[in-house]
Amino acid sequence: MELPVTNEGIKLSSFQTHENLSQPDYYHHYNDNHGRLSGSVGYDTLDTPPHYDFYANTAVWGRRRRFRPSLYQLRANPEEDSSPPPLYEETAARHTIEEDPSDNEDEDEDEEDGPPSEPPRFGWVQGVMIRCMLNIWGVILYLRLPWITAQAGIGLTWAIILLSSCITGITGLSTSAIATNGKVKGGGTYFLISRSLGPELGGSIGLIFAFANAVAVAMHTVGFAETVQALMQENGASIVDPLNDIRIIGVITVTCLLAISLAGMEWESKAQVLFFLVIIVSFVNYVVGTIMPASPQKQAKGFFGYKADIFAANFVPSWRGPEGSFFGMFSIFFPSATGILAGANISGDLKDPAIAIPRGTLMAIFWTTLSYLIIAATIGACVVRDASGLVNDTISTSSLNGCVGIACHHGWDFTECINNNTCHHGLSNYYQAMSMVSGFAPLITAGIFGATLSSALACLVSAPKVFQCLCKDKLYPLIGFFGKGYGKNDEPIRGYLLTYIIAVCFVLIAELNTIAPIISNFFLCSYALINFSCFHASITNSPGWRPSFRFYSKWASLLGAVVSVVIMFLLTWWAALIAMGIVLFLLGYVLYMRPAVNWGSSVQAGSYNLALSYCVGLNQVEDHIKNYRPQCLVMTGPPSSRPALVDFVNSFTKGQSLMMCGNVVTGGQLPSDVEEASSNSHVTWLNQRRVKSFYRGVVTNDLRSGVHILLQGAGLGRIRPNVLLMGFKTDWCRDTPQAAHSYIGILHDAFDLQYGVCVLRMKEGLDLSCQSHVNPGFDGGLETSPVPTVTTSRHRSTVEEPQPASIFQGKQGKKTIDVYWLSDDGGLTLLLPYLLTRRKRWSKCKVRVFVGGDINRKEQQREEVLALIQKFRLGFHDVQVLPDIYEKPQPEHVQRFENMLSPFRLETNLKEASQSGLQPGQEQPWMITDQDIERNRAKSLHQVRINEVLRDYSREAALIVITMPVDRRGVCPSALYLAWLDFMSHDLRPPVLLVRGNQENVLTFYCQ
């Protein structure tokens, strides 16, 4: 028996040398005498040969499970590092070496009790083939197949049977391929579709398939109850009235079937075998009856034994009534072939589903198809279409010339009833033709009982099994209560009771003519999706698609899917629309809720192929200004530490351009650092915040080197960042000069690589992290609330605390976005505000564009800039020219700026410096000399004046966007440049975005 295994890390001491752990204890605790391979391979190693346990998710009772050592454990030096491996390693163990000895003693005592009892498991004959055959054989076989043969003739009846079998056969092949592509568990059809196509389509089909099976219980039970009520009526017996008799008999029958199901799968399987034997006996009885000589009573009803002329006459069609057409007959017959999934629905109760499902399903289709063909041919060769049933209608000499019908050749004259359409017997008029032909009619009735009850019992078992698996996956709310299992076989007793209630409700209606087409369409939906699952998994060429069953074709599966959908509309178009509507509704719900499941579906493989194909295709397309999108590399560090920065960039990139969060972890190449950089918890946090962004983390010795790696290596093909976006380093005066110099060096590196650069500054700061060793140079903002606790595991990450809110998550109202387009950078300064206003949160904000100008040409310059903006079709109409932006700043503000620079002023003896051969500031490039101050005085005063203008005009703005100044390499020290950026944007209530494009056009007013 296989038991679940908990995931706990194996400690490195588990793999240390023999001196630290005795050989018997080591072998006992690690991997059953196959731990270190010193003796077998000639050297001491932790490497192990391939083993089943390395790939299994469960353990075998009675022995400890083996675990493959991780790369960290293989490469570590036990003498230097005896610490346990990090949590992200692949290895997991149920027990460690340091277990309490008393626990081992308790376990040994438990093991002496022997393995737990094995629940009943079924092979391919009893578990799949017999179950599918019973579900395929039904009332239509006994009561409608002779009538269909009379309508369509033997030839077209065979065509109908073979066409139905082709559809079910293709579906059987697809089912076999899916069932052999990995270990199949309980859940049947739902499990196969959901694990192949994903939870979206699998969940919707699982729910309606379980419901259809529950209603099918009522449909088959009502068929049984109608037959019993008809027998009672023939014998003059009645309980209340015909309708209520059907209800009473139906409820009693469903209750008895429920009792059989609750007794366990073993009893249910025995009951199915009994029903199977009854049906086989009824078949033998029918075949014997066709061979026996026909009595006068049977001849009067149209039975004459095997006759060549009767076979020839019945071989061609004779359409009668409103349903007299090929597709009319096909729609009546096809539901009898929709039982091929009965075995797959109890996949959890099979010994080996991968073998049982293909073999049992295909054998059931073969034998049932053969039986349908034989019965259609034999009864068409023995019984005429029309007969009166009157013994006195033998042929006479006077009526010999005017006799009509093939019966005239055999001494009977049914001319009168044929001409008057009053014949009550024959294939076209008497549904009980098989009972009439058989050697002993009550055995055919018993066969009808066995077929209906077995089909009802199979559906009563299938519905809870499928529904239980769906409930355990938690794709839909309020249904988890029914997923609880009981007993050693995990029986879904609550699911049985729910199925019973649904079946009883429909039995009480006692009229299922309007429900039956919907049920057939639900089954056809399942067939279509199973075939499409096989086709889709094959066409995606996923390496994980390796079914051991090879006798399938992806194109045949596609044909089966298309034909199944076509037949849905041919049967009942309105029922097909209802079925598809329900599937689409449930599909939309799962797509919206995005359940946290990952089954490696073919949809994921197809998405990868599609994305890869488009990415490669973009390489053949040259960049064009009209298609320019700001693709942002956002240096967030751990994204959860700077939620405002993430939310702001997401505001203008979501759904239309690339956003990639970058994280540089400074330190050595320790496993903990690698785990911090590559942890899935960062992506999980972004997904839970509904931010459409990629994440990339790197580990380097310093911040600038890590950002440089991301600037050059981030992206794929043409989908790569072209804009670097960072938070402003507000603590640059308090931090080390080297950190400030490194921060400015990152901006220089971005400009050198032709990136646009944006820096976001908020008065309250951006950084919420308490971990100062992670990305210390991105943003030295205020340390306010701690980041939410993130718990990681091997499978998923969950955020335990609510995510922090930011001002960019709410609506901005009727404020303004003030754009200071002071220098032409190619248009990025204008494009970003335009993209923001396309979002609902920013749509009510008015964009104001400010430009510098001459007071004497103020209005003319305004018209020129406005005309240019109108050519860009941005929708900005408020343009203001600021001639006072070039005036001198106030002395007190200049003094504050000089005070900001004072810690970085370099007092140097020029003579000493010249003697040493070094220029002032060469050893400390961030330091500022008097020469630097004089050389950059005009620019410095301009930045001070810009701050005054911002405070005058944009106090109440929702956002300030301003062109970032650019320093000259080797002319402006890093501390002076950082002081410009700091002073021009400080003491401002609104967020400030400093923008500088790469001096290439991102806007155009041309159409080509």
Side-chain angles (χ1 to χ4, degrees):
M1 178 182 178
E2 295 184 342
L3 300 172
V5 177
T6 58
N7 291 332
E8 300 174 2
I10 292 181
K11 294 192 174 181
L12 187 60
S13 56
S14 302
F15 301 96
Q16 290 183 354
T17 60
H18 298 296
E19 289 79 4
N20 296 333
L21 183 65
S22 64
Q23 183 173 340
D25 290 341
Y26 175 80
Y27 287 156
H28 174 71
H29 280 281
Y30 178 46
N31 54 7
D32 300 339
N33 300 330
H34 289 284
R36 305 180 66 89
L37 300 180
S38 58
S40 59
V41 300
Y43 60 92
D44 195 17
T45 179
L46 288 178
D47 275 334
T48 57
H51 195 273
Y52 173 87
D53 283 357
F54 298 161
Y55 301 92
N57 293 328
T58 53
V60 179
W61 189 93
R63 68 174 177 85
R64 299 185 187 277
R65 198 178 144 208
R66 306 182 185 187
F67 293 94
R68 182 193 304 111
S70 68
L71 278 175
Y72 178 77
Q73 292 161 341
L74 288 175
R75 299 176 64 243
N77 187 347
E79 297 179 357
E80 297 178 358
D81 185 6
S82 60
S83 60
L87 294 176
Y88 74 91
E89 295 291 350
E90 292 182 330
T91 55
R94 188 173 180 174
H95 304 286
T96 59
I97 300 302
E98 291 77 8
E99 287 178 326
D100 188 357
S102 60
D103 295 337
N104 295 336
E105 294 176 2
D106 295 339
E107 291 179 4
D108 294 338
E109 293 177 0
D110 295 338
E111 291 177 0
E112 293 176 0
D113 297 337
S117 59
E118 183 77 12
R121 304 290 184 187
F122 307 109
W124 68 273
V125 176
Q126 186 178 0
V128 180
M129 188 184 76
I130 292 179
R131 190 176 300 273
C132 288
M133 292 176 70
L134 289 174
N135 218 19
I136 294 173
W137 287 330
V139 179
I140 291 178
L141 171 66
Y142 292 95
L143 302 182
R144 290 296 182 269
L145 186 57
W147 176 72
I148 293 174
T149 304
Q151 289 271 356
I154 298 174
L156 289 183
T157 300
W158 276 28
I160 291 173
I161 295 172
L162 293 176
L163 178 59
S164 301
S165 299
C166 284
I167 297 172
T168 56
I170 291 173
T171 306
L173 295 176
S174 300
T175 304
S176 301
I178 298 173
T180 58
N181 189 53
K183 190 173 182 179
V184 178
K185 299 181 180 179
T189 305
Y190 161 70
F191 185 89
L192 296 178
I193 297 178
S194 62
R195 269 53 177 181
S196 180
L197 280 181
E200 297 82 7
L201 286 173
S204 58
I205 283 298
L207 196 59
I208 65 174
F209 189 75
F211 178 76
N213 273 280
V215 179
V217 175
M219 185 175 65
H220 293 299
T221 303
V222 168
F224 168 79
E226 287 179 348
T227 305
V228 175
Q229 191 274 333
L231 291 175
M232 293 172 58
Q233 192 172 12
E234 290 180 1
N235 293 277
S238 177
I239 303 175
V240 181
D241 56 68
L243 188 61
N244 286 315
D245 287 354
I246 294 175
R247 291 171 176 166
I248 294 171
I249 297 171
V251 172
I252 295 174
T253 303
V254 173
T255 305
C256 294
L257 294 177
L258 176 65
I260 296 175
S261 301
L262 292 178
M265 287 296 298
E266 192 172 0
W267 285 97
E268 185 269 345
S269 182
K270 291 179 180 178
Q272 293 285 29
V273 172
L274 177 61
F275 292 142
F276 181 77
L277 294 177
V278 170
I279 293 176
I280 293 298
V281 170
S282 70
F283 283 169
V284 173
N285 173 55
Y286 162 76
V287 174
V288 171
T290 60
I291 301 174
M292 295 173 58
S295 63
Q297 290 79 10
K298 289 187 175 182
Q299 289 183 355
K301 294 180 179 180
F303 173 66
F304 296 99
Y306 290 106
K307 304 294 181 181
D309 55 349
I310 296 178
F311 180 86
N314 288 337
F315 190 83
V316 296
S318 177
W319 307 115
R320 301 182 186 183
E323 297 173 338
S325 64
F326 178 83
F327 285 108
M329 295 299 104
F330 182 86
S331 65
I332 294 173
F333 174 81
F334 186 77
S336 67
T338 58
I340 63 171
L341 299 178
N345 287 336
I346 63 164
S347 56
D349 298 300
L350 301 176
K351 291 180 181 178
D352 191 347
I355 295 178
I357 292 176
R359 188 177 299 176
T361 302
L362 296 178
M363 289 299 292
I365 294 174
F366 173 77
W367 288 116
T368 52
T369 301
L370 185 62
S371 65
Y372 279 129
L373 294 174
I374 291 175
I375 292 174
T378 54
I379 203 165
C382 297
V383 185
V384 297
R385 284 191 169 100
D386 298 293
S388 63
L390 301 176
V391 181
N392 296 327
D393 282 350
T394 56
I395 196 167
S396 61
T397 306
S398 60
S399 61
L400 183 61
N401 295 328
C403 186
V404 178
I406 196 66
C408 300
H409 300 163
H410 304 285
W412 291 82
D413 184 10
F414 303 132
T415 303
E416 183 178 356
C417 75
I418 292 175
N419 293 331
N420 298 330
N421 293 324
T422 57
C423 295
H424 297 291
H425 291 273
L427 292 179
S428 296
N429 309 291
Y430 188 52
Y431 290 152
Q432 301 287 344
M434 286 188 66
S435 298
M436 180 265 295
V437 170
S438 66
F440 185 59
L443 287 179
I444 298 298
T445 303
I448 296 174
F449 289 171
T452 54
L453 293 178
S454 64
S455 297
L457 187 59
C459 293
L460 183 59
V461 172
S462 297
K465 295 285 186 180
V466 173
F467 194 59
Q468 182 187 34
C469 185
L470 179 64
C471 293
K472 288 183 177 180
D473 287 338
K474 298 179 181 180
L475 299 182
Y476 300 103
L478 307 178
I479 63 174
F481 173 80
F482 299 100
K484 183 175 176 58
Y486 296 88
K488 59 184 179 181
N489 209 28
D490 199 30
E491 293 291 343
I493 295 179
R494 296 175 180 177
Y496 280 125
L497 295 177
L498 177 62
T499 304
Y500 171 78
I501 294 172
I502 295 174
V504 167
C505 291
F506 282 92
V507 165
L508 294 178
I509 297 175
E511 180 58 54
L512 299 179
N513 290 338
T514 57
I515 304 298
I518 299 179
I519 296 175
S520 297
N521 277 279
F522 283 165
F523 283 121
L524 281 168
C525 270
S526 303
Y527 291 176
L529 282 177
I530 287 178
N531 285 310
F532 183 74
S533 299
C534 183
F535 166 77
H536 195 267
S538 301
I539 204 70
T540 54
N541 293 321
S542 173
W545 175 249
R546 302 185 302 273
S548 57
F549 183 84
R550 300 294 184 181
F551 305 101
Y552 73 95
S553 169
K554 59 185 176 183
W555 302 115
S557 298
L558 178 62
L559 177 64
V562 173
V563 172
S564 297
V565 174
V566 171
I567 291 176
M568 287 175 60
F569 286 91
L570 290 178
L571 295 181
T572 313
W573 64 268
W574 56 267
L577 291 178
I578 292 176
M580 287 192 168
I582 295 176
V583 170
L584 291 177
F585 173 78
L586 297 174
L587 170 65
Y589 175 82
V590 177
L591 286 174
Y592 177 76
M593 296 304 296
R594 295 181 180 274
V597 294
N598 184 9
W599 296 325
S601 66
S602 62
V603 172
Q604 294 174 334
S607 300
Y608 174 84
N609 286 349
L610 192 61
L612 185 62
S613 175
Y614 279 129
C615 286
V616 174
L618 284 176
N619 291 334
Q620 304 174 8
V621 180
E622 295 294 332
D623 292 333
H624 194 279
I625 301 174
K626 290 173 61 177
N627 294 325
Y628 175 86
R629 299 168 186 263
Q631 303 185 111
C632 299
L633 173 61
V634 191
M635 303 312 301
T636 60
S640 58
S641 66
R642 294 173 179 82
L645 184 60
V646 172
D647 293 334
F648 174 73
V649 181
N650 184 59
S651 297
F652 61 84
T653 61
K654 185 177 181 180
Q656 63 183 15
S657 61
L658 173 70
M659 175 181 175
M660 180 177 293
C661 293
N663 180 17
V664 178
V665 179
T666 55
Q669 297 292 331
L670 296 177
S672 57
D673 296 331
V674 177
E675 165 63 10
E676 170 61 29
S678 59
S679 174
N680 288 331
S681 62
H682 304 304
V683 178
T684 301
W685 186 88
L686 291 170
N687 292 337
Q688 291 174 343
R689 203 172 180 85
R690 298 185 182 276
V691 174
K692 294 184 178 182
S693 171
F694 295 97
Y695 168 83
R696 188 72 175 94
V698 295
V699 180
T700 58
N701 294 327
D702 61 272
L703 176 65
R704 183 176 179 181
S705 298
V707 178
H708 201 265
I709 292 173
L710 291 175
L711 288 172
Q712 295 187 83
L716 178 66
R718 298 209 180 263
I719 305 179
R720 61 177 182 268
N722 52 26
V723 175
L724 174 67
L725 205 147
M726 303 170 61
F728 183 73
K729 186 173 178 57
T730 55
D731 66 340
W732 69 278
C733 291
R734 302 186 302 273
D735 205 347
T736 63
Q738 292 85 349
H741 181 69
S742 176
Y743 180 85
I744 295 301
I746 292 173
L747 303 183
H748 291 167
D749 293 340
F751 288 136
D752 291 340
L753 294 172
Q754 293 297 301
Y755 272 70
V757 175
C758 299
V759 176
L760 179 66
R761 181 174 188 176
M762 296 175 59
K763 187 175 183 180
E764 59 272 22
L766 294 172
D767 191 3
L768 301 184
S769 71
C770 297
Q771 301 176 355
S772 59
H773 69 281
V774 178
N775 292 348
F778 286 153
D779 175 28
L782 302 177
E783 294 183 357
T784 55
S785 59
V787 69
T789 302
V790 180
T791 303
T792 61
S793 66
R794 183 177 179 180
H795 298 286
R796 66 180 65 180
S797 303
T798 57
V799 177
E800 297 178 352
E801 297 180 8
Q803 295 197 353
S806 71
I807 62 172
F808 299 114
Q809 288 182 308
K811 293 185 177 181
Q812 302 300 316
K814 295 183 178 180
K815 298 181 181 180
T816 62
I817 299 177
D818 290 351
V819 181
Y820 289 83
W821 196 19
L822 304 181
S823 304
D824 195 333
D825 59 350
L828 186 62
T829 307
L830 291 179
L831 181 60
L832 295 182
Y834 167 74
L835 296 177
L836 281 175
T837 56
R838 295 173 62 178
R839 298 298 181 185
K840 187 176 181 180
R841 297 172 184 171
W842 298 81
S843 59
K844 294 184 179 180
C845 291
K846 179 182 179 181
V847 178
R848 300 189 301 176
V849 179
F850 297 89
V851 295
D854 185 358
I855 191 171
N856 298 324
R857 302 177 58 249
K858 180 177 180 180
E859 190 60 29
Q860 180 181 354
Q861 290 178 340
R862 177 185 176 278
E863 294 296 333
E864 291 175 354
V865 175
L866 182 60
L868 178 60
I869 293 177
Q870 288 177 346
K871 288 182 179 292
F872 291 144
R873 307 173 306 282
L874 298 176
F876 302 161
H877 305 289
D878 190 344
V879 176
Q880 299 184 28
V881 177
L882 302 176
D884 56 344
I885 199 171
Y886 298 115
E887 295 180 357
K888 293 183 179 181
Q890 298 179 13
E892 59 269 23
H893 294 157
V894 176
Q895 185 62 44
R896 286 181 55 190
F897 178 74
E898 292 178 351
N899 293 338
M900 181 185 295
L901 297 180
S902 59
F904 300 93
R905 295 293 296 271
L906 182 64
E907 302 295 340
T908 305
N909 188 314
L910 297 180
K911 183 176 180 181
E912 294 179 357
S914 60
Q915 291 177 354
S916 62
L918 295 175
Q919 295 297 324
Q922 185 171 338
E923 293 181 343
Q924 298 176 321
W926 52 84
M927 299 303 289
I928 307 171
T929 65
D930 294 340
Q931 183 181 4
D932 296 327
I933 293 292
E934 292 301 324
R935 187 186 304 164
N936 296 281
R937 178 173 296 277
K939 280 191 175 182
S940 299
L941 296 177
H942 184 58
Q943 313 311 325
V944 176
R945 178 55 185 162
I946 288 176
N947 179 256
E948 296 175 350
V949 172
L950 296 181
R951 284 189 288 177
D952 289 340
Y953 287 90
S954 301
R955 291 182 180 273
E956 303 301 325
L959 175 69
I960 298 174
V961 181
I962 183 171
T963 306
M964 179 192 301
V966 177
D967 62 326
R968 289 184 177 274
R969 184 184 289 111
V971 176
C972 180
S974 56
L976 179 59
Y977 182 51
L978 198 48
W980 290 353
L981 304 182
D982 187 1
F983 201 90
M984 70 185 299
S985 60
H986 87 293
D987 287 345
L988 295 173
R989 187 200 61 80
V992 179
L993 181 66
L994 304 173
V995 180
R996 169 62 71 166
N998 63 356
Q999 301 303 114
E1000 295 183 2
N1001 290 346
V1002 300
L1003 295 174
T1004 181
F1005 41 78
Y1006 295 106
C1007 62
Q1008 65 179 11

